[in-house]
């Protein structure tokens, strides 16, 4: 089934060729051999279907407008296209064409219809069909695309009753508020809640800016979001979505030519009321252009002298470099910034106190019911803050605006006749909407059409009164301050700072703890190293002493002709030592007893000799000195021996040099045979208590201390 204009939706495929760029590959729903792109002069269709930056996402949608050339039966009009772009790895293709030389294949399936009101149904189906076609991995199999195009007329006819009745003109249609989620069937992704949540009070600035018909440029990296924001904005004007037949070309002007002034009014029917009030306000008439996505190749149309105003979108950042040349106002969706380059436009768009109070109330209703998981529906599941609630508020605002401006014109004409003014209306209500804005709007093309085809006494139908009229109050100041504080996002900043502070504290605590742990570990390591050094020193000292003993034993063994000392040899030497010591002690005792009698007799006959020097004992080099028992005395020393000792002491005191020399020589003569006896007895290294070992193993003469036992 064809549409009312006689245009059947058609489908086309646009691909990206590595040498020729974007190009149309095939058509569905047209006569064989015909090419609508050539017939209607659509050279930019491939660039509109494949948007800039579409290659960075798996799936993206583009919305654009096309001018359909006039035929013998139909005038020129606007068509609307929606494209779904996908890409895949070329190596996955079952039948890879020879002209596919790149690693990826990018194609777009495009549907061209007569109105954007069908896009709600088309988007979901177009996405599924495009995905299924890519899953086949064989682009030569286009049967699924043919069936999709054949089903479009029936699909649109079956959904005829679910179209935008709120924006329609059918007298039998009912209000959109009677159908939940009706607008979702109009434009999928069109969310006024997201628009207000993102731009807040600037939403009203953008709405009033559209009515002034300046050159508006939208920029964003995502093409679908870019297009939907523009559709959301113009949909706030009731009935405009279904009255875009002149938006594709500034030369089109069929709307005004076919427009007639309504002759009747049914206040019980909303559509009749809207039509009688002059809605929709046609902002896309002669000299205006609407392009949700506009490629760079279309910039010459924007700069054309005949293009007085436009609302277009672009994803190419190169256009931002020339924003002052091509636009009066720039809306950057990526940064959420509205920049107005025209000073006169900036003054006109300054919101009044009543305007700010109204949009603050609307913004608050959205913020309080915001659901991040489902932005399009209030978290309370109620009516306040919903899409329908927002549309009703803007409709009420626009009707009050139109009525107030009509009454403003009436006041200007009746200055000399005060009785012509309404008694219940104080002053000029249009001032609540901004005097500068009202003056600027009265000079626009859409106001000219509105004034031409509407009654002059519309203020009798709708009360000329701002919904939030009144002067500045403390509530306005408090609400303004609250909103400004909320816009600062102090909680988020404080929470971020708190998290950063806690993170730094935790990091610092960890570093300090780690430093102390490392310091303690270093101290423990130093202690352990010191302890080990001490143990090693003690072990080395013990080993050195033991080694010296072993070396000394080794030297003794080498003197005897043996290279090593065994345990048995050491034990035999110890036994020999003790036995020789006993023998030596016994000889001493015998000598002491034998000499006692003879000494008494000789001492009487001659003067006692001087004590002789201590006899010497010889040490061999390397011999181990035997320990000398201290305090050894003859066991049977009697009284005579004591007398003899005292006499010897007196002799030593009074004896001359000759007696001393003689006694010394006698002592040496007596000591040598005894030393030989000691050596011959096998007591190696055994010495008497009166000898010591000098350096290099030499024998050192040591005099016996006084009172010692002499031979």
């Amino acid at each position: 089934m064809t549409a009312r204009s006689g245009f059947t939706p058609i489908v086309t495929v646009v691909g990206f060729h590595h040498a020729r760029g974007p190009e149309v590959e095939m058509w569905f729903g047209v006569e064989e051999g015909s090419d609508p792109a050539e017939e209607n002069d659509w050279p930019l269709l491939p660039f509109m279907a494949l948007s800039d930056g579409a290659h960075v996402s798996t799936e993206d949608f583009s919305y654009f407008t096309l001018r359909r050339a006039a035929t013998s039966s139909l005038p020129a009009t606007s068509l609307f296209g929606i494209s779904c772009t996908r890409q895949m790895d070329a190596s996955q293709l079952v039948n890879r064409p020879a002209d596919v030389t790149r690693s990826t294949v990018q194609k777009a399936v495009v549907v061209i219809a007569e109105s954007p009101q069908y896009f709600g149904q088309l988007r979901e189906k177009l996405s599924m069909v495009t995905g299924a076609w890519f899953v086949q991995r064989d682009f030569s199999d286009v049967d699924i695309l043919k069936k999709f195009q054949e089903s479009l007329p029936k699909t649109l006819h079956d959904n005829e009753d679910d179209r935008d009745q709120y924006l329609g003109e059918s007298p039998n249609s009912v209000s959109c508020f009677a159908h939940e989620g009706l607008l979702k069937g109009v434009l999928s992704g069109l969310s006024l809640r997201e628009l207000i949540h993102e731009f807040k009070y600037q939403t009203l600035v953008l709405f009033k800016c559209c009515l002034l018909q300046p050159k508006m440029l939208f920029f964003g990296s995502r093409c679908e979001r870019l297009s939907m924001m523009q559709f959301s904005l113009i949909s706030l004007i009731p009935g405009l979505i279904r009255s875009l037949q002149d938006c594709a070309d500034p030369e089109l002007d069929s709307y005004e030519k076919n427009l007639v002034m309504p002759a009747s009014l049914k206040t019980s029917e909303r559509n009749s009321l809207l039509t009688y009030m002059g809605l929709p306000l046609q902002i896309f008439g002669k000299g205006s252009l609407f392009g949700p996505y506009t490629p760079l190749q279309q910039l010459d149309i924007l700069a054309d002298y005949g293009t007085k105003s436009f609302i277009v979108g672009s994803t190419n950042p190169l256009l931002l470099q020339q924003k002052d040349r091509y636009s009066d106002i720039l809306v950057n969706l990526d940064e959420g910034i509205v920049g107005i380059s025209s000073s006169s436009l900036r003054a006109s768009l300054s919101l009044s106190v009543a305007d700010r109070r109204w949009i603050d109330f609307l913004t608050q209703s959205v913020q309080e019911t915001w659901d991040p998981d489902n932005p399009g529906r209030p978290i309370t599941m109620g009516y306040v803050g919903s899409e329908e609630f927002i549309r009703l508020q803007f409709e009420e605002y626009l009707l009050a605006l139109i009525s107030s401006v009509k009454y403003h014109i009436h006041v200007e004409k009746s200055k000399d006749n005060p009785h012509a003014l309404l008694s219940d209306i104080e002053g000029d209500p249009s001032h609540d909407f901004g005097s500068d804005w009202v003056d600027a709007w009265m000079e626009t093309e859409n106001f000219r059409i509105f004034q031409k085809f509407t009654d002059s006494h519309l203020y009798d139908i709708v009360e000329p009164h701002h919904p939030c009229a009144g002067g500045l109050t403390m509530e306005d100041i408090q609400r303004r301050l609250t909103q400004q504080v909320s816009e600062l996002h102090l909680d988020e900043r404080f929470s971020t700072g708190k998290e950063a502070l806690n993170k730094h504290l935790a990091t610092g605590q960890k570093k300090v703890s780690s430093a102390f742990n490392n310091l303690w570990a270093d101290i423990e390591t130093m202690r352990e190293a010191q302890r080990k050094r001490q143990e090693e020193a003690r072990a080395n000292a013990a080993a050195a002493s033991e080694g010296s003993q072993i070396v000394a034993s080794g030297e003794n063994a080498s003197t005897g002709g043996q290279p090593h000392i065994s345990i048995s040899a050491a034990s035999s030497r110890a036994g020999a030592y003790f036995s020789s010591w006993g023998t030596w002690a016994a000889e001493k005792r015998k000598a002491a007893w034998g000499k006692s009698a003879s000494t008494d007799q000789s001492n009487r006959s001659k003067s006692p000799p001087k004590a002789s020097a201590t006899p010497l004992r010889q040490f061999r080099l390397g011999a181990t000195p035997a320990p000398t028992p201290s305090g050894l005395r003859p066991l049977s020393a009697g009284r005579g021996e004591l007398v003899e000792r005292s006499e010897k002491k007196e002799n030593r005191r009074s004896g001359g040099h000759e007696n001393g020399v003689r006694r010394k020589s006698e002592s040496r003569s007596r000591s040598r045979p005894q030393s030989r006896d000691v050596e011959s007895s096998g007591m190696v290294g055994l010495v008497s208590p009166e000898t010591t070992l000098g350096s290099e193993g030499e024998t050192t003469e040591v005099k016996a201390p006084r009172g010692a036992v002499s031979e």
Side-chain angles (χ1 to χ4, degrees):
M1 177 180 178
T2 60
R4 289 178 301 170
S5 63
F7 182 80
T8 303
I10 58 179
V11 177
T12 182
V13 175
V14 176
F16 186 86
H17 193 272
H18 69 281
R20 298 185 295 270
E23 60 181 3
V24 177
E25 296 181 350
M26 59 191 79
W27 289 93
F28 303 95
V30 299
E31 297 180 0
E32 187 176 356
S34 63
D35 187 356
E38 295 182 359
E39 296 172 0
N40 295 279
D41 191 18
W42 295 340
L44 301 180
L45 173 61
F47 300 95
M48 296 177 177
L50 290 176
S51 62
D52 296 331
H55 60 280
V56 300
S57 58
T58 304
E59 183 183 59
D60 197 10
F61 291 86
S62 174
Y63 300 80
F64 50 91
T65 58
L66 296 170
R67 182 184 186 276
R68 192 187 68 173
T71 62
S72 57
S73 57
L74 295 174
T77 186
S78 300
L79 298 178
F80 301 86
I82 174 175
S83 69
C84 179
T85 305
R86 279 181 171 269
Q87 57 185 348
M88 67 177 298
D89 194 344
S91 61
Q92 298 179 358
L93 293 175
V94 177
N95 296 322
R96 181 171 180 173
D99 57 349
V100 177
T101 59
R102 292 194 173 188
S103 59
T104 58
V105 179
Q106 186 181 31
K107 293 183 181 296
V109 180
V110 185
V111 176
I112 300 176
E114 64 172 349
S115 175
Q117 63 188 359
Y118 299 102
F119 286 175
Q121 298 85 19
L122 290 180
R123 183 192 179 280
E124 300 300 328
K125 293 185 178 181
L126 180 60
S127 176
M128 292 187 293
V129 170
T130 306
W133 188 45
F134 270 74
V135 169
Q136 295 178 166
R137 297 186 300 168
D138 185 5
F139 294 130
S140 61
D141 186 0
V142 295
D143 184 62
I144 187 174
L145 299 181
K146 292 180 180 179
K147 293 181 178 180
F148 171 62
Q149 190 279 326
E150 293 172 358
S151 66
L152 286 179
K154 184 178 184 303
T155 300
L156 300 180
H157 174 70
D158 293 341
N159 292 278
E160 184 73 22
D161 295 336
D162 293 334
R163 294 191 304 179
D164 186 11
Q165 297 176 12
Y166 175 74
L167 304 178
E169 300 175 0
S170 174
N172 296 326
S173 63
V174 295
S175 174
C176 70
F177 306 113
H179 299 278
E180 181 181 0
L182 181 62
L183 292 177
K184 293 183 180 180
V186 182
L187 286 173
S188 178
L190 187 152
S191 176
L192 296 177
R193 286 174 53 83
E194 294 183 42
L195 180 64
I196 295 178
H197 178 74
E198 181 172 354
F199 290 99
K200 298 178 177 60
Y201 75 92
Q202 291 182 331
T203 305
L204 182 58
V205 174
L206 295 177
F207 174 75
K208 298 180 74 171
C209 183
C210 290
L211 298 179
L212 297 182
Q213 292 182 265
K215 297 181 178 181
M216 297 185 66
L217 174 61
F218 286 77
F219 171 79
S221 57
R222 293 180 51 194
C223 187
E224 183 177 21
R225 182 170 180 267
L226 175 73
S227 303
M228 285 298 98
M229 280 296 179
Q230 297 172 67
F231 276 115
S232 298
L233 187 61
I234 66 174
S235 68
L236 294 175
I237 302 176
L240 184 59
I241 289 292
R242 299 186 64 181
S243 303
L244 297 175
Q245 57 267 35
D246 297 334
C247 70
D249 195 315
E251 299 297 329
L252 298 179
D253 192 22
S254 62
Y255 178 82
E256 183 180 2
K257 293 179 180 179
N258 298 325
L259 187 63
V260 294
M261 180 181 293
S264 61
L265 169 63
K266 293 182 180 181
T267 56
S268 59
E269 294 182 3
R270 181 174 297 276
N271 290 332
S272 177
L273 174 63
L274 296 178
T275 303
Y276 189 83
M277 295 295 294
L279 297 178
L281 297 175
Q282 186 52 265
I283 61 176
F284 298 114
K286 186 176 180 62
S288 299
L289 176 67
F290 176 52
Y293 173 68
T294 303
L296 292 179
Q297 290 79 3
Q298 206 173 0
L299 289 180
D300 57 340
I301 300 178
L302 303 181
D304 189 80
Y305 178 78
T307 305
K308 304 299 182 181
S309 67
F310 55 75
I311 298 178
V312 297
S314 176
T315 60
N316 198 317
L318 295 177
L319 196 60
L320 297 178
Q321 301 176 2
Q322 304 181 23
K323 58 182 180 181
D324 295 336
R325 176 186 177 186
Y326 292 104
S327 65
D328 298 325
I329 179 172
L330 173 65
V331 183
N332 193 325
L333 300 181
D334 291 345
E335 300 179 1
I337 298 176
V338 178
I340 304 175
S341 57
S342 174
S343 58
S344 59
L345 181 62
R346 187 184 303 108
S348 301
L349 293 178
S350 179
L351 298 181
S352 64
V353 175
D355 281 346
R356 189 60 185 266
R357 184 185 300 121
W358 179 82
I359 191 62
D360 287 346
F361 161 74
L362 200 58
T363 302
Q364 184 178 0
S365 66
V366 173
Q367 299 284 32
E368 292 177 351
T369 60
W370 183 255
D371 185 4
D373 298 331
N374 188 6
R377 185 184 296 274
I379 194 172
T380 59
M381 305 297 291
Y383 173 70
V384 177
S386 62
E387 296 279 329
E388 293 81 359
F389 174 79
I390 295 173
R391 291 186 182 279
L392 179 61
Q393 297 300 317
F394 271 95
E395 177 186 315
E396 180 184 3
Y397 178 88
L398 188 57
L399 292 176
L401 171 63
I402 292 173
S403 178
S404 298
V405 173
K406 282 287 187 178
Y407 186 73
H408 169 72
I409 297 174
H410 175 71
V411 170
E412 293 293 330
K413 291 181 179 180
S414 305
K415 289 182 178 181
D416 299 333
N417 187 11
H419 299 286
L421 302 179
L422 299 179
S423 59
D424 56 342
I425 303 298
E426 182 179 355
D428 189 349
S430 64
H431 293 167
D432 291 332
F433 295 92
S435 300
D436 293 339
W437 185 88
V438 171
D439 295 340
W441 183 52
M442 293 177 64
E443 297 177 359
T444 61
E445 188 68 15
N446 71 87
F447 178 82
R448 183 188 64 80
I449 299 175
F450 163 77
Q451 183 70 3
K452 179 180 178 181
F453 292 97
T454 54
D455 188 87
S456 60
H457 288 73
L458 293 181
Y459 51 85
D460 292 331
I461 307 299
V462 177
E463 182 182 4
H465 184 268
H466 196 287
C468 294
L472 185 64
T473 62
M474 288 300 299
E475 294 181 358
D476 298 330
I477 298 176
Q478 293 176 358
R479 184 171 52 253
R480 191 83 51 87
L481 291 175
T482 302
Q483 184 176 1
Q484 290 178 355
V485 170
S486 64
E487 290 176 357
L488 294 176
H489 302 287
L490 296 179
D491 294 339
E492 298 178 3
R493 294 182 180 181
F494 287 154
S495 62
T496 304
K498 185 178 180 180
E499 292 178 0
L501 180 60
N502 293 336
K503 184 178 180 181
H504 289 309
L505 288 178
T507 304
Q509 183 179 2
K510 184 177 180 181
K511 290 182 178 179
V512 172
S513 177
S514 177
F516 276 111
N517 292 337
N518 293 337
L519 179 60
W520 185 256
D522 293 341
I523 294 175
E524 291 296 329
T525 302
M526 293 174 62
R527 289 179 177 177
E528 184 67 19
Q530 186 176 3
R531 186 182 63 81
K532 288 183 178 181
R533 286 195 299 269
Q534 292 176 356
E535 291 179 356
E536 291 177 357
R538 288 195 296 268
N540 292 336
S545 61
E546 183 178 355
S548 62
Q549 294 177 2
I550 295 175
V551 170
S553 301
E555 290 176 352
N556 292 337
S558 62
T559 306
Q562 297 179 355
H564 300 286
I565 301 176
S566 62
I567 298 177
S568 59
S571 61
S572 63
R573 284 198 301 272
Y577 164 75
F578 286 109
S579 62
S580 62
W581 177 260
T583 304
W584 177 77
E587 292 178 354
K588 285 291 186 179
R589 287 196 298 270
K590 292 178 181 180
W593 283 104
K595 289 180 180 181
S596 60
S598 59
T599 304
D600 293 339
Q601 185 176 2
S602 60
N603 287 337
R604 292 188 186 100
S605 60
K606 59 180 179 180
S607 61
K610 199 170 184 179
S612 61
T614 304
L616 299 177
R617 297 293 185 262
Q618 295 181 355
F619 277 87
R620 295 180 182 177
L621 183 59
T624 304
T628 305
S630 60
L632 181 61
R633 296 293 184 271
L635 298 179
S636 58
R639 181 170 181 166
E641 183 179 1
L642 296 176
V643 175
E644 181 183 0
R645 290 180 181 175
S646 62
E647 292 176 353
K648 288 180 179 181
K649 292 180 181 179
E650 292 297 331
N651 294 332
R652 280 196 296 269
R653 294 190 185 100
S654 61
H657 177 68
E658 294 179 356
N659 293 334
V661 174
R662 184 174 57 252
R663 285 193 298 270
K664 185 174 182 181
S665 61
E666 291 177 356
S667 176
R668 288 181 179 177
S669 63
R670 287 195 300 268
S671 63
R672 289 191 186 109
Q674 187 175 0
S675 178
R676 286 194 298 269
D677 295 338
V678 172
E679 292 175 358
S680 62
S681 64
M683 297 178 59
V684 179
L686 182 61
V687 296
S688 64
E690 294 83 10
T691 60
T692 58
L693 184 63
S695 60
E696 299 296 332
E698 295 179 354
T699 303
T700 304
E701 178 181 344
V702 181
K703 293 185 179 180
R706 295 179 181 179
V709 179
S710 177
E711 293 181 347

